[in-house]
Amino acid sequence: QLQLVESGGGLVHSGGSLRLSCAASGSAFGYYSLAWFRQAPGEEREGVSCISSSGTTTDYADSVKGRFTISRDNAKNTVYLQMNSLKPEDTGIYYCAADIGTHSNFCTREAGLIRGFWGQGTQVTISS
C-alpha cells in the first residue's frame, strides 16, 4: 500500500513555472506506474501525464506536450511534474496516482484504469 502526498502547487503568473512533487510512503514504489491528473472547477478529471514503472515510457496530454515533463526518482519514492510556460487554463487541483498495472513499460492517463492509490491533490493557480 502507498500513501501519496503532493506538494509544490501555488499561484504563479502566466508564463511561469512550477515543479510538483508527489512523495510516496509504503513499499514497492518502483513497481507502480505513476500519473498526474488535474481537475478544474466544473470539469472532469484530466490525465496530464504518466510514466511507466521502468521509467522508459512517458505520455502527455496534447495540451501540455512540450511544456510539462514527468520524471521519477525511485530512490526517493517521488514523482515530479515540471511545468513550464504555464497558462491560465492549467489552473486546477493536481493529483498524483499510482497504478500497479501489468507491464513495466506501460502507463495510463485514464483515471478509470488506475488500480492503486491517489493523493489528496495540490492547487495550481495561473493568473493571466
Side-chain angles (χ1 to χ4, degrees):
Q1 188 164 355
L2 293 181
Q3 291 81 44
L4 304 174
V5 179
E6 302 94 336
S7 62
L11 170 64
V12 298
H13 292 297
S14 180
S17 297
L18 283 173
R19 188 194 197 202
L20 304 184
S21 300
C22 175
S25 58
S27 61
F29 175 81
Y31 289 101
Y32 290 85
S33 67
L34 302 160
W36 286 96
F37 293 81
R38 67 186 179 190
Q39 189 165 21
E43 302 284 336
E44 291 189 356
R45 193 167 293 192
E46 173 191 20
V48 174
S49 182
C50 68
I51 185 167
S52 62
S53 61
S54 67
T56 58
T57 299
T58 57
D59 189 38
Y60 297 90
D62 287 344
S63 58
V64 306
K65 280 181 181 176
R67 300 188 297 122
F68 290 12
T69 303
I70 191 170
S71 62
R72 65 187 296 161
D73 185 338
N74 288 348
K76 296 182 178 180
N77 279 15
T78 302
V79 59
Y80 304 97
L81 186 68
Q82 177 67 43
M83 307 188 295
N84 299 328
S85 303
L86 285 161
K87 305 175 182 180
E89 51 264 44
D90 294 318
T91 293
I93 300 174
Y94 282 68
Y95 301 89
C96 68
D99 176 37
I100 190 63
T102 57
H103 194 285
S104 62
N105 292 329
F106 175 80
C107 68
T108 183
R109 291 187 292 109
E110 295 290 335
L113 297 181
I114 295 292
R115 294 174 293 161
F117 307 97
W118 292 83
Q120 293 299 305
T122 185
Q123 177 70 46
V124 171
T125 304
I126 313 302
S127 63
S128 58

